[in-house]
Amino acid sequence: MTLAAARALVAGARSIAVLTGAGISAESGVPTFRGPGGLWRNYRPEELATPEAFAADPSLVWEWYAWRRGLVAAARPNPGHEALAALERRSAAFQLITQNVDGLHVLAGSRAVIEIHGSLWRTRCVGCGEVRTDRTPAPERIPPHCPCGSLLRPDVVWFGEPLPEDLLGRSIDAVDACDLMLVVGTSGVVQPAASFADAALRRGAPVVEVNLDPTPLSGRATISLRGRSAALLPELISGGPEGGKS
Ligand code: BV8
Ligand code: ZN
């Protein structure tokens, strides 16, 4: 019943906003933050993804990011990423907001993607602010430096850092304009992204959650589908115009 009802909501939606988290990339072999395998050398992400950790030991933080780049470089988008790219192609209005920094949505063909926490594949100079794309699995030297002499940092948003104003603004606009919101593979603990679904619910827009486990959102979501996103997302979009199977 719930999958059929969720499928009907997707088929009938004109403007869709989607929020994804680490769970959508789990089946591509990229460890989640808070699940098994999310730890690195017994550090928790909250201890490393902070400006304080970087200031204290830039090499350690860069080694964590180099390890993650290595994992992501070997990863491919999974059917969950691909289903969202297909859904975008057939929706009148569509905005994907991801907390992930792995770049797998763009690799899967998604176009309207807001990387609200930045990207593993960009560096930013702490001195001159220059942002560069850097596809190397790991910087030659750790920690890398800018030609201007200053340290380069990963171009991601760490805990305690504000999200880029424009990206946050565009995300809120998309949530305010949607007539359906999907929330996929996020534990819903990190703010401000975790509040987007409530903003949609307050407006009366239905929210469909896809997650392996229950989350703080599960009890409030219009529909909460329990299962793997790589299996559920293709099912969820299959009822649409080009979906064929009823
Ligand atoms: C800000 C980028 C304000 C870097 C990340 C109390 C104390 C201290 C701070 C706070 C506090 N309360 C609120 C805060 C603020 C803080 C916060 O929310 N902390 C939390 C931990 C309480 N937020 C911030 O600091 C944000 N900034 O608020 O700034 C400000 C304003 C003005 C001026 C100055 C400051 C910044 C937050 C961004 C932090 N950066 N990452 C990097 O990636 O290295 S957050 C990090 O967590 C990742 O981005 C990740 O995406 C994100 C959320 O995690 P999830 O994606 O949800 O992943 P998780 O592992 O948790 O869950 C995976 C889910 O998938 C699970 O539910 C699992 O069941 C499911 N799953 C697994 N497999 C599958 C699956 N589902 C489906 N299918 C599967 N196969
Ligand atoms: Zn510089």
Side-chain angles (χ1 to χ4, degrees):
M1 175 46 198
T2 47
L3 178 59
R7 192 183 283 146
L9 286 175
V10 170
R14 211 197 56 75
S15 167
I16 301 177
V18 184
L19 173 68
T20 62
I24 197 168
S25 296
E27 288 162 274
S28 295
V30 182
T32 63
F33 273 76
R34 294 164 186 84
L39 289 180
W40 176 76
R41 292 192 200 164
N42 294 326
Y43 289 98
R44 288 184 307 107
E46 282 82 1
E47 293 172 286
L48 293 171
T50 70
E52 294 76 20
F54 186 71
D57 191 342
S59 299
L60 175 71
V61 172
W62 261 113
E63 281 175 43
W64 179 48
Y65 279 92
W67 174 71
R68 292 173 64 194
R69 281 191 180 187
L71 288 178
V72 172
R76 284 285 152 269
N78 65 58
H81 296 106
E82 287 156 357
L84 292 182
L87 182 59
E88 172 182 8
R89 285 192 288 273
R90 72 167 203 237
S91 301
F94 185 93
Q95 181 64 65
L96 173 56
I97 304 157
T98 186
Q99 299 172 91
N100 301 339
V101 297
D102 57 32
L104 290 179
H105 283 303
V106 172
L107 219 52
S110 286
R111 311 214 2 186
V113 180
I114 299 175
E115 295 181 321
I116 202 159
H117 292 161
S119 170
L120 206 51
W121 300 111
R122 288 196 307 269
T123 58
R124 186 167 83 237
C125 175
V126 302
C128 67
E130 170 132 11
V131 173
R132 296 177 180 85
T133 297
D134 171 2
R135 299 292 314 184
T136 55
E140 298 79 53
R141 277 187 325 123
I142 284 190
H145 284 77
C146 175
C148 84
S150 296
L151 262 179
L152 293 181
R153 58 167 283 175
D155 189 31
V156 300
V157 180
W158 281 326
F159 289 103
E161 296 186 318
L163 275 59
E165 279 292 312
D166 55 331
L167 301 190
L168 187 53
R170 282 169 49 206
S171 303
I172 292 168
D173 291 348
V175 170
D176 286 349
C178 75
D179 50 32
L180 172 66
M181 183 170 183
L182 305 181
V183 179
V184 183
T186 180
S187 58
V189 299
V190 174
Q191 296 296 348
S195 308
F196 292 166
D198 290 306
L201 288 168
R202 271 197 303 277
R203 288 186 34 246
V207 171
V208 173
E209 179 185 47
V210 173
N211 200 307
L212 264 188
D213 301 329
T215 73
L217 174 65
S218 302
R220 301 196 301 274
T222 313
I223 297 174
S224 185
L225 301 175
R226 199 65 60 245
R228 295 181 302 105
S229 47
L232 280 175
L233 286 176
E235 283 289 306
L236 200 51
I237 73 157
S238 64
E242 73 190 30
K245 267 189 298 166
S246 62

